[in-house]
Amino acid sequence: MSTPGEYYRSLPPVTKAYGVLCLMTTAAAYLNLFDVRFILLSYELLLKKFQIWRIITNFFFLGPFSVYFGLRFVMLARYGVLLEKGAFNQRTADFLWMMIFGALSLLVFDLIPTVYFWRTDSVPQYQYPTLGPSLVFLNLYVWSREVPDSRISISGVVTIKGIYLPWAMLAVDLIFGVPLKPDIMGILAGHLYYFLAVLYPLSGRKNILKTPLFVHKFVAHWGEGAQMNSPVHPNPHAGVAFRGRSYRLNQ
């Protein structure tokens, strides 16, 4: 059995960095080190007071410590890691671009008003203040499309195929009264990415979602992970000050 340190070093770089930032954000909010309202998404404050950091910082908050936070964090640690180590193995820049494209898509989807048609007193809801859970659900959806026939056991009670896991989790949230909009937006953003990055090119058409050069340059400068057929040569001195005794993945 590996030690916690060995497990941490074995994690793929993008999921590890994102998970650590989410955990640190929730921990800092729990310790009252900052007002969490300062990082939540608000298009009104973005446009009127130019608080542009909100379009980024909201993705690092999965909610306060709770069962909901725990489920989303475990979902990221499980299926985000499997996705980056599996379908995106040796493709760190491509995985990072998936996260960036997904985040941009979620920012657009969040502008779409939500009306609960089964409630007569329902009024449109125009935005959700934190899109981190949606980004985690995007990882789950893309993983389910990459390994659709994998067998997943839910609490040891029922076993389903991987392709049905996002819908099973959606049903669980419905049963427990958790808002469904973050999950649905994650599914939509994940499907949009998978269609444009995988299904559309497989049909013989041009890949219109090719990873941009600036993402390749960032990963090369970062010095973590690896990218097959990268147009940018890795920087041998990148990240040295932060590696310590750890090792680089996939080498």
Side-chain angles (χ1 to χ4, degrees):
M1 179 178 292
S2 62
T3 65
E6 291 172 340
Y7 170 75
Y8 176 78
R9 289 191 293 270
S10 71
L11 294 174
V14 179
T15 305
K16 176 168 63 176
Y18 181 63
V20 169
L21 286 171
C22 289
L23 182 60
M24 291 177 60
T25 301
T26 297
Y30 177 78
L31 296 173
N32 293 320
L33 298 181
F34 72 99
D35 188 344
V36 72
R37 293 175 297 179
F38 192 67
I39 67 171
L40 298 182
L41 180 61
S42 171
Y43 289 105
E44 181 180 0
L45 294 175
L46 172 66
L47 296 175
K48 292 184 177 181
K49 297 188 177 181
F50 304 102
Q51 297 181 0
I52 59 175
W53 64 82
R54 292 178 180 272
I55 62 175
I56 298 175
T57 56
N58 81 91
F59 286 101
F60 301 121
F61 187 61
L62 301 182
F65 285 129
S66 61
V67 174
Y68 180 83
F69 170 87
L71 288 175
R72 290 304 178 268
F73 192 76
V74 170
M75 189 183 296
L76 176 65
R78 175 65 175 169
Y79 300 105
V81 168
L82 287 176
L83 180 62
E84 190 172 355
K85 280 188 171 183
F88 286 88
N89 185 37
Q90 299 281 339
R91 296 173 56 202
T92 302
D94 292 342
F95 185 80
L96 179 59
W97 173 236
M98 181 200 75
M99 297 285 281
I100 295 173
F101 176 82
L104 294 174
S105 301
L106 289 170
L107 288 170
V108 175
F109 291 155
D110 198 36
L111 290 172
I112 301 175
T114 302
V115 179
Y116 299 100
F117 295 101
W118 59 85
R119 291 178 52 184
T120 58
D121 60 341
S122 179
V123 294
Q125 296 181 359
Y126 286 94
Q127 71 174 64
Y128 204 75
T130 172
L131 299 177
S134 300
L135 192 59
V136 172
F137 221 87
L138 176 149
N139 278 261
L140 174 65
Y141 180 83
V142 175
W143 174 86
S144 74
R145 295 302 301 266
E146 291 288 353
V147 285
D149 295 323
S150 61
R151 309 299 293 183
I152 303 298
S153 177
I154 301 180
S155 302
V157 176
V158 61
T159 300
I160 62 175
K161 289 186 176 182
I163 190 68
Y164 301 122
L165 184 58
W167 308 104
M169 297 305 298
L170 190 67
V172 170
D173 284 349
L174 177 63
I175 292 173
F176 286 100
V178 176
L180 298 184
K181 183 177 180 179
D183 298 353
I184 295 174
M185 288 196 303
I187 290 175
L188 291 175
H191 185 75
L192 178 61
Y193 171 81
Y194 193 77
F195 175 79
L196 294 177
V198 179
L199 300 180
Y200 192 75
L202 284 177
S203 66
R205 296 177 174 84
K206 182 181 179 181
N207 183 3
I208 60 176
L209 205 60
K210 186 177 181 181
T211 303
L213 182 61
F214 79 87
V215 179
H216 285 288
K217 289 182 177 180
F218 175 82
V219 171
H221 181 74
W222 186 17
E224 295 290 340
Q227 175 68 36
M228 295 185 300
N229 303 319
S230 175
V232 179
H233 294 293
N235 182 358
H237 304 293
V240 173
F242 301 98
R243 285 196 196 118
R245 295 174 60 85
S246 64
Y247 52 88
R248 289 189 55 190
L249 296 173
N250 305 320
Q251 290 190 354

